[in-house]
Amino acid sequence: MTNTQVTLVQLDNYGPWTVTPAPRREVDLQTMQSRLYADLSQAFGMRDGYVFFTRFDNMLAVTNGLDLEDHARIQESIRNRYPVTVSLSIGTGASPADALVNATAALQDQGSAQDADRREALLGQPIDEAERTDDDVQIAHFDVVDATGKYTDELDAFSSFVNIEQGYAELMKHMHAAHDSLSFFVGGDNIIAVCPDLTDDDYDAAIQHVRETANVDLRVGVGRGVSPHDAGMGAKHALELAREDDTYVEGDLA
Amino acid sequence: MTNTQVTLVQLDNYGPWTVTPAPRREVDLQTMQSRLYADLSQAFGMRDGYVFFTRFDNMLAVTNGLDLEDHARIQESIRNRYPVTVSLSIGTGASPADALVNATAALQDQGSAQDADRREALLGQPIDEAERTDDDVQIAHFDVVDATGKYTDELDAFSSFVNIEQGYAELMKHMHAAHDSLSFFVGGDNIIAVCPDLTDDDYDAAIQHVRETANVDLRVGVGRGVSPHDAGMGAKHALELAREDDTYVEGDLA
Amino acid sequence: MTNTQVTLVQLDNYGPWTVTPAPRREVDLQTMQSRLYADLSQAFGMRDGYVFFTRFDNMLAVTNGLDLEDHARIQESIRNRYPVTVSLSIGTGASPADALVNATAALQDQGSAQDADRREALLGQPIDEAERTDDDVQIAHFDVVDATGKYTDELDAFSSFVNIEQGYAELMKHMHAAHDSLSFFVGGDNIIAVCPDLTDDDYDAAIQHVRETANVDLRVGVGRGVSPHDAGMGAKHALELAREDDTYVEGDLA
Amino acid sequence: MTNTQVTLVQLDNYGPWTVTPAPRREVDLQTMQSRLYADLSQAFGMRDGYVFFTRFDNMLAVTNGLDLEDHARIQESIRNRYPVTVSLSIGTGASPADALVNATAALQDQGSAQDADRREALLGQPIDEAERTDDDVQIAHFDVVDATGKYTDELDAFSSFVNIEQGYAELMKHMHAAHDSLSFFVGGDNIIAVCPDLTDDDYDAAIQHVRETANVDLRVGVGRGVSPHDAGMGAKHALELAREDDTYVEGDLA
């Protein structure tokens, strides 16, 4: 059974900061946000975690393998190098969605995202090292079947983007509502979902849902592992196999 | 009348690179992509342009004020500092969507996004300096009414994200189909759209469309200017005004 | 005759910040400093300027071609993205050393480098665009003759570094005292000097001085141009020529 | 007794790359080098290591606590995100200088720094986890007595730099020749030295040597620890004490 550890990364009082004393240059905000994300990606990634940019002011990480000290170290490093600070809240559980519900609730209890007095909260408890198993994390890596041939080389760049975005919007909603999974667009035509134990049929149904609602044809590789990196790399290899064999679902399934 | 200059930024043969000789670590790809975007944001931004991350392997920039030499300089800088290269294709016109259609078509004529022999194309013609006017760029800056109170502080972090994402998916589709506009999620609850000459009623209709289809309540500030920065800063100030006065549409409208 | 525009970049009240409320992690300071330098290098470089890391808390830029607005834009971008701010002071003149004396004095007049109330000074006047000429900047690019064969592949890495560092320490002192030039180690075995009009003999004497005092054998390529980039690229090509022809001084000399 | 683990980080075939097919823009090289250093600083630093920029194409790290897998992970991350690759060679021993001699020799055995066929060497053996002790690393953190009052606020910026640079050149030579220590300028007026077991008298003598040869007045704080971070933070606190008490040598000495 999966046991996912998620971390909510929330920039402290960020909205007000972006317009104080006057609206800040958009290109600077974009640069700062995307570099902060890049740094978190390396910092969590050095210990085999994953982080997703999500809304940038609220990022979601899968952090099996990172303890409280690792989280504190990352929080300190951001404080030392950025004009903003971050709060971190950890949740765990068989359901990634539920783990995040808990992590969010704990942070909301400390105050609003726009509370000037709530800074650098560090909440929650990581999974005990002794309890970690090779089944803890399930990652599904989706991409669009022949995205280059059907979209990128064929439609104008925004129409391609509209198609991929509609596919993502449907998939993320479906996977969340039906399967307690957290799905993230990660660039190109790729979506990575953090899932509980799902079956071949679950993924088939998700792919069919996106085909019917958004007319976008997805494929998926699924991996499991003790860490997000291990599960995610398994998913990537499974997806390569699905591409080669022209199948829809491949990987380490129940 | 608007005269938007857009630039399609396409990473050359990027998909194959990410899996050669084997799938690369996701966190490294995420870091590389988001830093490349951050660098482009600064590089275009130093000359008052805007760039949006879009799909990361295909980014869209609004580049009124940047000439071919500026584009070449940016292309060279990426080559000197990254393991990947970029092709750039410029399109112009009263309609941002049509400008991008032209830019995309020119690049597609040079070969596929996954063509190993097509590297560092630099295509299209910027607007003549002498023809630039203060009406060239219209930017609309949307955000969600009371996003912190209704979503961030109230729902779990992924449910908040689902809502904002559904709102974005509907807005981007509507603004493209109905108004030849290019809309981009830029973090938090913010969406920036590059538009032709639109009216108060056009924006009202867009906001109503998103409310009805996604149940998300948007607000918008609109600005015009000779450059994306000028128009975008106007939009930000108009949005501040809309927040203060609790109105739905503010700014420099026809 | 040269007419160099230099800009002193000084971090505001940086020393105290690094130990408040307690000494900050060295690796974070190193990361923050070197990225700030990297960003300035791109920002000045987009307009053909050069910047040198020098002491990191005090950096020196050669900024022919950048006006006050460019400087203000760079200053704003740092404020928006870093936990520190910078003051900028511009000086100009035939002698790079004198130009910097003036720039420094103007900034010192505004308060100490560790004055908590002196933030984001922006001082001095750039050269009028109309007065700029192709002779304004003279750049000399030195490297060590056969550094790889004599040091890197032969000695241990620190002994190699000691040799190169001693050569630099002698060159920078000599070029400053004898020739009003500002010399900067830029990595590897490379030193870039910003010079007034110097002759072949001047460079020969400098090379001989370093050989006698530090037992390090240098070579130099010299370029001139309207901007640091133009002069610097000329110097690089001249240095390539000197390498090929095994000569000591090449380039665009008086 | 100290047991220092050093890692030589050498960019593979970097010199030729910088001029192929023609000399690359200096500002891009500067940006790439300093960001590569910044990334290594974070990557080693996340596991309590230190890295120094040294010559940028040859960087030196103190890596007690990082195993071969950590090194391989860092090497892979650079390959995935930069246009260059790095070789890493580990050496250990009571003498930091000797440890580096061994690390360098092992790498030189694999080929020249400018050998196109030698890429991503990973050499040497880290200290066994079981053998690590709280005395393994000794770090000395020097700064210049009243640098702001005597130099930064008083002399022009380059003259200040000349003074600090001469002090550094003398200290690094002396500490290497007399004490098998590796000293690195880290910005401002700060020098960090990695040392074997040194006494109060050793540091006094070093300070006196720099005063006599370069006329620069140094102060030092010394720390010990199981990792570079622990030792370095001890050194910083000791230096704060020396500043407060106006003494020359403070810290955890034999």
Side-chain angles (χ1 to χ4, degrees):
Chain A
M1 203 175 67
T2 59
N3 190 15
T4 312
Q5 176 178 314
V6 302
T7 302
L8 168 59
V9 181
Q10 187 171 91
L11 272 62
D12 296 316
N13 201 21
Y14 181 60
W17 181 86
T18 64
V19 292
T20 302
R24 295 176 192 258
R25 274 199 177 230
E26 190 62 34
V27 292
D28 291 344
L29 298 178
Q30 293 298 310
T31 302
M32 201 272 281
Q33 292 173 4
S34 51
R35 287 192 179 160
L36 180 49
Y37 166 63
D39 275 0
L40 292 174
S41 193
Q42 282 301 299
F44 285 113
M46 278 292 288
R47 297 193 184 270
D48 289 342
Y50 269 21
V51 56
F52 302 98
F53 56 81
T54 325
R55 294 168 58 191
F56 286 100
D57 61 349
N58 285 269
M59 292 178 268
L60 297 178
V62 190
T63 56
N64 293 62
L66 285 97
D67 61 19
L68 273 177
E69 194 184 337
D70 295 328
H71 281 77
R73 172 72 190 86
I74 290 171
Q75 195 173 46
E76 177 190 353
S77 182
I78 299 301
R79 178 204 320 144
N80 282 339
R81 302 186 290 110
Y82 284 89
V84 294
T85 57
V86 296
S87 285
L88 302 174
S89 185
I90 303 167
T92 61
S95 150
D98 286 350
L100 182 60
V101 166
N102 295 336
T104 310
L107 186 56
Q108 288 165 343
D109 278 352
Q110 301 287 316
S112 166
Q114 298 196 357
D115 180 338
D117 293 325
R118 197 216 67 191
R119 288 170 67 90
E120 298 197 312
L122 176 54
L123 308 168
Q125 281 300 328
I127 298 165
D128 272 359
E129 190 61 31
E131 292 175 18
R132 297 178 62 203
T133 77
D134 287 348
D135 288 330
D136 281 355
V137 187
Q138 180 171 135
I139 297 255
H141 195 132
F142 295 85
D143 76 356
V144 174
V145 177
D146 193 22
T148 303
K150 283 205 301 208
Y151 301 112
T152 314
D153 287 350
E154 190 63 24
L155 303 181
D156 75 274
F158 200 82
S159 296
S160 294
F161 181 47
V162 168
N163 275 282
I164 285 166
E165 184 67 24
Q166 302 300 314
Y168 171 53
E170 287 298 335
L171 183 70
M172 59 117 63
K173 196 170 54 176
H174 172 85
M175 292 291 288
H176 191 234
H179 298 304
D180 277 0
S181 300
L182 311 176
S183 308
F184 303 94
F185 177 66
V186 293
D189 59 331
N190 296 268
I191 298 162
I192 292 179
V194 188
C195 309
D197 288 302
L198 297 187
T199 63
D200 208 315
D201 286 351
D202 294 331
Y203 288 112
D204 268 330
I207 289 171
Q208 184 149 341
H209 172 81
V210 175
R211 193 183 295 125
E212 286 168 1
T213 53
N215 196 28
V216 171
D217 206 22
L218 296 176
R219 181 159 47 200
V220 68
V222 180
R224 283 167 172 281
V226 68
S227 70
H229 168 70
D230 285 359
M233 199 50 90
K236 282 170 178 266
H237 283 288
L239 184 61
E240 286 294 287
L241 198 65
R243 281 172 183 152
E244 282 160 25
D245 297 354
D246 203 15
T247 52
Y248 281 103
V249 185
E250 291 287 344
D252 193 0
L253 292 152
Chain B
M1 203 174 67
T2 59
N3 191 15
T4 312
Q5 176 178 315
V6 303
T7 301
L8 169 58
V9 180
Q10 188 170 91
L11 273 62
D12 297 316
N13 201 22
Y14 181 60
W17 181 86
T18 64
V19 293
T20 302
R24 295 175 191 260
R25 275 201 178 229
E26 189 61 34
V27 293
D28 290 344
L29 298 178
Q30 292 299 310
T31 303
M32 201 271 282
Q33 292 173 5
S34 51
R35 287 194 179 159
L36 180 49
Y37 167 62
D39 274 0
L40 292 174
S41 193
Q42 282 301 298
F44 284 114
M46 277 293 287
R47 298 193 183 270
D48 289 342
Y50 269 21
V51 55
F52 301 98
F53 57 80
T54 326
R55 294 168 57 191
F56 286 101
D57 61 350
N58 285 268
M59 291 177 267
L60 298 178
V62 190
T63 55
N64 293 62
L66 285 97
D67 61 21
L68 273 177
E69 194 184 336
D70 294 328
H71 281 77
R73 172 73 190 86
I74 290 171
Q75 194 172 47
E76 177 190 353
S77 182
I78 299 301
R79 179 204 319 145
N80 282 339
R81 301 185 291 111
Y82 285 89
V84 294
T85 56
V86 296
S87 285
L88 302 174
S89 185
I90 303 166
T92 61
S95 152
D98 286 351
L100 182 60
V101 166
N102 295 335
T104 310
L107 186 56
Q108 288 166 342
D109 278 353
Q110 301 286 316
S112 166
Q114 297 195 357
D115 180 338
D117 294 326
R118 196 216 67 190
R119 287 171 67 88
E120 298 197 311
L122 177 54
L123 308 168
Q125 282 299 328
I127 298 165
D128 272 359
E129 191 60 32
E131 291 174 18
R132 298 178 62 203
T133 77
D134 285 348
D135 288 331
D136 281 356
V137 187
Q138 180 170 135
I139 297 255
H141 194 131
F142 294 85
D143 76 356
V144 174
V145 176
D146 194 21
T148 302
K150 283 206 301 207
Y151 300 112
T152 314
D153 288 350
E154 190 65 24
L155 304 181
D156 74 273
F158 200 82
S159 298
S160 293
F161 181 46
V162 168
N163 276 282
I164 285 166
E165 185 66 24
Q166 303 301 315
Y168 171 52
E170 286 298 335
L171 183 70
M172 60 119 59
K173 195 169 57 175
H174 172 86
M175 291 291 288
H176 191 234
H179 297 305
D180 278 359
S181 299
L182 311 176
S183 307
F184 304 94
F185 177 65
V186 293
D189 59 331
N190 296 267
I191 299 163
I192 292 179
V194 187
C195 308
D197 288 302
L198 297 186
T199 65
D200 207 314
D201 286 351
D202 294 330
Y203 288 112
D204 268 330
I207 289 170
Q208 184 149 342
H209 172 82
V210 175
R211 193 183 294 127
E212 287 169 1
T213 53
N215 196 28
V216 171
D217 205 23
L218 296 176
R219 181 161 46 200
V220 67
V222 182
R224 285 166 169 281
V226 68
S227 70
H229 168 70
D230 284 0
M233 200 48 92
K236 280 169 178 268
H237 283 290
L239 183 61
E240 286 294 284
L241 198 64
R243 281 171 185 155
E244 284 161 24
D245 296 355
D246 202 16
T247 54
Y248 280 101
V249 186
E250 290 288 342
D252 193 1
L253 292 152
Chain C
M1 203 175 66
T2 58
N3 190 15
T4 311
Q5 177 178 314
V6 302
T7 302
L8 169 58
V9 180
Q10 187 171 90
L11 272 63
D12 296 316
N13 201 23
Y14 181 60
W17 182 85
T18 64
V19 293
T20 302
R24 296 175 190 258
R25 274 200 178 231
E26 190 60 35
V27 293
D28 290 344
L29 298 178
Q30 292 298 311
T31 302
M32 202 271 284
Q33 291 173 4
S34 51
R35 288 192 179 160
L36 180 49
Y37 167 63
D39 275 0
L40 292 174
S41 194
Q42 282 300 300
F44 284 114
M46 276 293 288
R47 296 192 183 272
D48 289 341
Y50 269 21
V51 56
F52 302 98
F53 57 81
T54 324
R55 294 169 58 191
F56 286 101
D57 60 349
N58 286 268
M59 292 177 266
L60 298 179
V62 190
T63 56
N64 293 62
L66 285 97
D67 60 21
L68 273 177
E69 194 184 336
D70 295 327
H71 282 76
R73 172 72 189 86
I74 291 170
Q75 195 173 46
E76 177 190 353
S77 182
I78 299 303
R79 179 205 319 146
N80 282 339
R81 300 186 291 111
Y82 284 90
V84 294
T85 56
V86 296
S87 285
L88 302 174
S89 185
I90 303 166
T92 61
S95 151
D98 287 351
L100 181 60
V101 166
N102 295 336
T104 310
L107 186 56
Q108 288 166 340
D109 277 353
Q110 300 287 315
S112 167
Q114 298 196 356
D115 180 339
D117 294 326
R118 197 216 67 191
R119 288 172 66 90
E120 297 197 310
L122 176 54
L123 308 168
Q125 282 300 328
I127 298 166
D128 272 359
E129 190 60 32
E131 291 174 18
R132 298 177 62 204
T133 77
D134 286 348
D135 287 332
D136 281 356
V137 187
Q138 180 168 135
I139 297 256
H141 194 129
F142 294 85
D143 76 357
V144 174
V145 177
D146 193 23
T148 303
K150 284 205 300 207
Y151 300 111
T152 313
D153 288 349
E154 191 64 24
L155 304 181
D156 75 273
F158 201 83
S159 297
S160 293
F161 181 46
V162 168
N163 274 283
I164 284 165
E165 185 66 24
Q166 303 300 315
Y168 171 53
E170 286 298 335
L171 183 70
M172 60 119 58
K173 195 169 56 174
H174 172 87
M175 291 292 287
H176 191 233
H179 297 304
D180 277 359
S181 300
L182 311 176
S183 308
F184 304 93
F185 177 65
V186 292
D189 59 331
N190 296 267
I191 299 162
I192 292 180
V194 187
C195 308
D197 288 300
L198 297 187
T199 64
D200 208 316
D201 286 350
D202 294 331
Y203 288 111
D204 269 328
I207 288 170
Q208 183 148 343
H209 173 81
V210 175
R211 193 183 295 127
E212 287 168 2
T213 53
N215 196 27
V216 171
D217 205 23
L218 297 175
R219 179 160 50 200
V220 68
V222 181
R224 285 165 169 281
V226 67
S227 70
H229 167 70
D230 284 0
M233 199 48 91
K236 280 169 178 268
H237 283 288
L239 184 60
E240 286 294 286
L241 199 65
R243 281 172 184 154
E244 284 161 24
D245 296 354
D246 202 16
T247 52
Y248 280 101
V249 185
E250 290 288 342
D252 193 1
L253 293 152
Chain D
M1 202 176 67
T2 60
N3 190 15
T4 312
Q5 177 179 315
V6 302
T7 301
L8 169 59
V9 180
Q10 187 171 90
L11 273 63
D12 297 316
N13 201 22
Y14 181 60
W17 182 85
T18 64
V19 293
T20 301
R24 295 176 192 258
R25 274 201 177 230
E26 189 61 35
V27 292
D28 290 344
L29 298 178
Q30 292 299 310
T31 302
M32 202 272 281
Q33 291 173 4
S34 51
R35 287 192 179 160
L36 180 49
Y37 166 63
D39 274 1
L40 292 174
S41 193
Q42 282 301 297
F44 284 114
M46 277 293 288
R47 297 192 184 270
D48 288 342
Y50 269 20
V51 56
F52 301 98
F53 57 80
T54 324
R55 294 168 58 191
F56 287 100
D57 60 350
N58 286 269
M59 291 177 269
L60 298 178
V62 190
T63 57
N64 293 62
L66 285 98
D67 61 20
L68 273 177
E69 194 184 337
D70 295 328
H71 281 78
R73 172 71 190 88
I74 291 171
Q75 195 173 45
E76 177 190 353
S77 183
I78 299 302
R79 179 205 319 144
N80 282 339
R81 301 186 291 108
Y82 284 89
V84 294
T85 56
V86 296
S87 285
L88 302 174
S89 186
I90 303 167
T92 61
S95 150
D98 286 350
L100 181 61
V101 166
N102 295 336
T104 310
L107 185 57
Q108 287 166 342
D109 278 352
Q110 301 286 315
S112 167
Q114 299 197 354
D115 181 338
D117 294 326
R118 197 216 67 192
R119 287 170 68 89
E120 297 197 312
L122 176 55
L123 308 169
Q125 282 301 327
I127 298 166
D128 272 358
E129 190 60 31
E131 291 175 20
R132 297 177 63 202
T133 77
D134 287 347
D135 287 331
D136 281 356
V137 187
Q138 180 170 136
I139 296 256
H141 194 131
F142 294 86
D143 76 355
V144 174
V145 177
D146 194 22
T148 303
K150 284 207 299 208
Y151 300 112
T152 314
D153 288 350
E154 190 63 24
L155 303 182
D156 75 274
F158 200 82
S159 297
S160 293
F161 181 46
V162 168
N163 274 282
I164 284 166
E165 184 66 24
Q166 303 300 314
Y168 171 52
E170 287 297 336
L171 183 70
M172 59 118 61
K173 197 170 53 176
H174 172 86
M175 291 292 287
H176 191 235
H179 298 304
D180 277 358
S181 300
L182 311 176
S183 309
F184 303 94
F185 177 66
V186 293
D189 59 330
N190 296 267
I191 298 162
I192 291 179
V194 188
C195 308
D197 288 301
L198 298 187
T199 64
D200 208 314
D201 286 350
D202 294 331
Y203 289 112
D204 268 328
I207 289 170
Q208 183 149 342
H209 172 82
V210 175
R211 193 183 294 126
E212 286 168 2
T213 53
N215 196 28
V216 171
D217 205 23
L218 296 176
R219 181 161 47 200
V220 68
V222 181
R224 285 165 170 282
V226 68
S227 69
H229 167 71
D230 284 359
M233 199 51 88
K236 281 170 179 267
H237 283 288
L239 184 60
E240 287 294 288
L241 199 64
R243 281 172 184 153
E244 282 160 25
D245 296 353
D246 202 16
T247 53
Y248 281 103
V249 185
E250 290 288 343
D252 194 0
L253 292 151

XYZ file of all heavy atoms in Angstrom, chain C residues 23 32-33 35 46 53 56 61 78 85 90 103 115 146 160 162 165-166 172 174 193 204 207 215 228 233 243:
218
model
N 25.571 34.510 12.369
C 26.248 34.247 11.089
C 25.417 33.313 10.209
O 24.917 32.291 10.679
C 27.560 33.582 11.515
C 27.832 34.125 12.876
C 26.469 34.265 13.515
N 24.362 33.069 -2.998
C 23.682 34.337 -3.239
C 24.616 35.327 -3.941
O 24.248 35.955 -4.931
C 23.196 34.901 -1.895
C 22.063 35.898 -2.022
S 22.675 37.573 -2.233
C 23.166 37.920 -0.534
N 25.834 35.446 -3.451
C 26.808 36.372 -4.043
C 27.108 36.028 -5.502
O 27.161 36.906 -6.368
C 28.132 36.306 -3.287
C 28.102 36.865 -1.885
C 29.412 36.613 -1.137
O 30.376 36.082 -1.708
N 29.470 36.990 0.119
N 25.399 34.249 -7.631
C 24.255 34.426 -8.525
C 23.944 35.892 -8.778
O 23.532 36.264 -9.875
C 23.028 33.723 -7.941
C 23.157 32.223 -8.049
C 21.849 31.569 -7.753
N 21.972 30.125 -7.893
C 21.142 29.242 -7.350
N 20.120 29.670 -6.626
N 21.315 27.956 -7.533
N 23.860 42.334 -21.588
C 22.843 42.484 -22.638
C 23.009 43.817 -23.373
O 22.534 43.989 -24.478
C 21.438 42.428 -22.015
C 20.888 41.041 -21.783
S 20.555 40.119 -23.322
C 19.087 41.014 -23.915
N 33.636 40.370 -10.641
C 33.141 40.058 -9.296
C 33.958 40.714 -8.195
O 33.451 40.975 -7.115
C 33.017 38.547 -9.069
C 34.274 37.734 -9.261
C 35.232 37.657 -8.269
C 34.466 37.023 -10.439
C 36.383 36.883 -8.444
C 35.603 36.246 -10.623
C 36.574 36.178 -9.624
N 32.907 40.801 -4.600
C 31.503 40.368 -4.543
C 30.609 41.370 -3.807
O 29.499 41.644 -4.268
C 31.338 38.965 -3.929
C 31.770 37.853 -4.850
C 33.009 37.246 -4.692
C 30.961 37.434 -5.897
C 33.425 36.227 -5.551
C 31.376 36.422 -6.750
C 32.602 35.814 -6.572
N 32.102 47.445 -12.706
C 31.584 47.233 -14.055
C 32.148 48.278 -14.996
O 32.453 49.396 -14.588
C 30.064 47.293 -14.035
N 17.350 43.805 -8.991
C 18.020 43.178 -7.837
C 17.122 43.292 -6.603
O 16.903 42.326 -5.880
C 19.403 43.832 -7.585
C 20.332 43.650 -8.795
C 20.041 43.276 -6.300
C 20.582 42.228 -9.212
N 20.127 44.921 -1.377
C 20.028 45.947 -2.422
C 21.430 46.416 -2.804
O 22.395 46.145 -2.094
C 19.209 47.161 -1.937
O 19.821 47.663 -0.733
C 17.765 46.776 -1.654
N 28.564 55.890 -10.942
C 29.208 55.931 -12.257
C 30.312 56.986 -12.271
O 30.127 58.091 -11.763
C 28.156 56.292 -13.339
C 27.003 55.295 -13.319
C 28.801 56.376 -14.712
C 25.783 55.759 -14.117
N 33.973 57.763 -8.934
C 32.755 57.004 -8.624
C 32.727 56.604 -7.153
O 31.695 56.689 -6.489
C 32.675 55.763 -9.513
N 26.331 51.717 6.370
C 25.337 52.657 6.874
C 23.948 52.104 6.551
O 23.592 51.921 5.391
C 25.555 54.005 6.161
C 24.573 55.073 6.611
O 23.496 54.736 7.144
O 24.891 56.264 6.422
N 50.952 28.371 -21.639
C 50.923 26.926 -21.359
C 50.539 26.608 -19.910
O 51.191 25.782 -19.251
C 52.285 26.292 -21.706
C 52.193 24.749 -21.739
O 51.083 24.225 -21.925
O 53.238 24.095 -21.566
N 49.004 24.998 -8.354
C 48.691 25.699 -9.607
C 48.016 27.026 -9.298
O 48.361 28.068 -9.857
C 47.726 24.865 -10.467
O 48.350 23.693 -10.925
N 48.095 28.763 -6.508
C 49.023 29.700 -5.869
C 49.827 30.449 -6.926
O 49.966 31.676 -6.875
C 49.978 28.975 -4.888
C 51.113 29.902 -4.455
C 49.210 28.456 -3.669
N 47.577 32.882 -8.837
C 47.176 33.954 -7.930
C 48.327 34.942 -7.685
O 48.114 36.152 -7.648
C 46.718 33.323 -6.602
C 46.161 34.279 -5.611
C 44.857 34.921 -6.045
O 44.144 34.346 -6.880
O 44.581 36.034 -5.568
N 49.553 34.429 -7.526
C 50.688 35.329 -7.325
C 50.909 36.177 -8.577
O 51.210 37.368 -8.502
C 51.976 34.556 -6.979
C 51.872 33.658 -5.735
C 51.532 34.399 -4.445
O 52.108 35.453 -4.164
N 50.593 33.873 -3.677
N 47.986 42.969 -11.139
C 46.952 43.951 -10.789
C 47.553 45.165 -10.091
O 47.111 46.294 -10.328
C 45.866 43.310 -9.909
C 46.312 42.749 -8.612
S 45.550 43.509 -7.141
C 43.839 43.269 -7.407
N 50.807 46.203 -10.393
C 51.633 46.928 -11.366
C 50.769 47.734 -12.342
O 51.051 48.917 -12.599
C 52.512 45.927 -12.135
C 53.245 46.547 -13.285
N 54.475 47.157 -13.137
C 52.919 46.657 -14.602
C 54.877 47.619 -14.316
N 53.961 47.322 -15.226
N 42.084 43.229 -18.188
C 42.419 44.563 -17.683
C 41.729 45.626 -18.519
O 41.684 45.529 -19.751
C 43.920 44.765 -17.702
N 54.615 44.918 -22.694
C 55.855 44.136 -22.544
C 56.435 44.301 -21.145
O 56.864 43.326 -20.509
C 56.903 44.600 -23.571
C 56.812 43.809 -24.869
O 56.451 42.614 -24.813
O 57.105 44.377 -25.936
N 54.382 42.351 -18.573
C 54.643 40.910 -18.644
C 55.993 40.587 -18.002
O 56.133 39.608 -17.255
C 54.580 40.449 -20.125
C 53.119 40.467 -20.598
C 55.212 39.081 -20.301
C 52.951 40.274 -22.092
N 57.422 34.898 -11.259
C 57.872 33.768 -12.080
C 56.717 33.132 -12.863
O 56.670 31.909 -13.037
C 58.559 32.715 -11.179
C 59.373 31.744 -12.011
O 59.837 32.087 -13.096
N 59.524 30.514 -11.514
N 32.632 47.767 -23.909
C 33.469 46.711 -23.327
C 33.407 45.421 -24.144
O 34.433 44.774 -24.357
C 32.868 46.520 -21.931
C 32.281 47.858 -21.600
C 31.755 48.395 -22.901
N 36.067 41.518 -27.127
C 36.077 40.492 -28.162
C 37.311 40.686 -29.058
O 37.924 39.701 -29.486
C 34.774 40.552 -28.966
C 34.461 39.289 -29.736
S 34.590 37.717 -28.799
C 32.910 37.544 -28.166
N 48.487 33.196 -29.262
C 48.679 31.771 -28.962
C 49.194 31.026 -30.196
O 50.117 30.218 -30.121
C 47.349 31.140 -28.525
C 46.973 31.423 -27.088
C 45.549 30.925 -26.800
N 45.138 31.279 -25.439
C 43.877 31.453 -25.049
N 42.887 31.312 -25.925
N 43.592 31.769 -23.808
